[in-house]
């Protein structure tokens, strides 16, 4: 018996034991059936590209993996993604690659002041995501780059967004 001979339900049980990004990467375009199975929300709604290692968050995958994932897989599943966990070096790569209409949560790790300032400006491609979609934001500040202005900028941006939303709702 081969993997392709298994019922979808059994295949799902097996694949759920693996990391969802690895499932998407490994079984992408094997055949139509596998594409249908791996595009299930179990594998596409929450994508985690980081891992905890030696007291810090690091990228779980190589840059080749990330490049291929963002070019070939993300365009097919971007409407299904609800949450990203990303390390700062790949944030803009992912956030500017596609539109994510259902993205409502974001974990950003190893951020520094430059990254925060870049992500939350009107000129940035991802600013609209933060302004209109993200309801849950987790920020992991790189302990080697800890800076009180990062927290101040996040607080200011959050307060500013709330006041913009409140003023908009008062107008309507």
């Amino acid at each position: 018996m081969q993997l392709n001979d298994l019922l979808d339900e059994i295949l799902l049980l097996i694949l759920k034991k693996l990391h969802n990004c690895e499932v998407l990467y490994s079984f992408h375009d094997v055949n139509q059936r596998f594409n249908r199975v791996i595009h299930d929300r179990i594998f596409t709604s929450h994508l985690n590209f980081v891992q905890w290692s030696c007291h810090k968050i690091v990228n779980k995958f190589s840059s080749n993996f990330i490049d291929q994932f963002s070019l070939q897989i993300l365009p097919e599943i971007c409407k299904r993604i609800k949450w990203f966990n990303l390390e700062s070096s790949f944030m803009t790569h992912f956030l500017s690659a596609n539109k994510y209409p259902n993205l409502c949560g974001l974990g950003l790790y190893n951020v520094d002041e430059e990254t925060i300032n870049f992500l939350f400006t009107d000129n940035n491609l991802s600013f609209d995501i933060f302004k209109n979609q993200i309801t849950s934001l987790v920020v992991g500040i790189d302990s080697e780059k800890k800076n009180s202005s990062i927290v101040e900028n996040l607080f200011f941006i959050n307060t500013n967004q709330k006041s913009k939303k409140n003023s908009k709702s008062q107008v309507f």
Side-chain angles (χ1 to χ4, degrees), residues 99-153:
K99 299 268 187 222
Y100 304 99
N102 295 308
L103 185 67
C104 60
L106 192 56
L108 305 175
Y109 299 92
N110 296 334
V111 298
D112 56 20
E113 186 173 8
E114 182 181 325
T115 304
I116 292 297
N117 290 335
F118 177 75
L119 286 171
F120 293 104
T121 60
D122 281 309
N123 299 330
N124 187 302
L125 294 172
S126 62
F127 181 74
D128 194 50
I129 292 173
F130 290 100
K131 189 168 112 180
N132 298 315
Q133 285 182 240
I134 301 299
T135 57
S136 298
L137 177 65
V138 176
V139 177
I141 300 170
D142 187 342
S143 61
E144 296 172 5
K145 299 175 185 175
K146 248 183 202 173
N147 186 330
S148 63
S149 65
I150 295 173
V151 177
E152 290 169 7
N153 287 341

Side-chain angles (χ1 to χ4, degrees), residues 12 24 35-45 80:
L12 274 171
L24 289 164
N35 275 354
R36 183 178 39 79
V37 169
I38 66 170
H39 286 189
D40 187 279
R41 65 186 165 118
I42 293 169
F43 305 111
T44 59
S45 65
R80 295 185 168 118

Side-chain angles (χ1 to χ4, degrees), residues 38-92:
I38 66 170
H39 286 189
D40 187 279
R41 65 186 165 118
I42 293 169
F43 305 111
T44 59
S45 65
H46 289 71
L47 298 180
N48 181 20
F49 291 92
V50 296
Q51 70 181 9
W52 184 255
S53 174
C54 298
H55 307 293
K56 79 184 266 185
I57 298 283
V58 296
N59 284 321
K60 183 171 179 63
F61 304 105
S62 69
S63 50
N64 288 338
F65 180 100
I66 298 293
D67 288 341
Q68 188 173 353
F69 198 96
S70 63
L71 291 173
Q72 296 177 4
I73 299 167
L74 279 181
E76 293 181 18
I77 64 169
C78 60
K79 292 178 180 162
R80 295 185 168 118
I81 299 170
K82 294 181 180 182
W83 188 283
F84 267 130
N85 280 326
L86 303 169
E87 202 271 337
S88 66
S89 60
F90 290 116
M91 282 188 270
T92 54

Side-chain angles (χ1 to χ4, degrees), residues 1-7 10-11 14-15 27 33-34:
M1 180 174 258
Q2 295 182 358
L3 197 57
N4 204 31
D5 296 330
L6 297 174
L7 296 172
I10 295 172
L11 188 58
I14 293 168
L15 295 178
F27 293 102
R33 177 176 176 241
F34 271 90

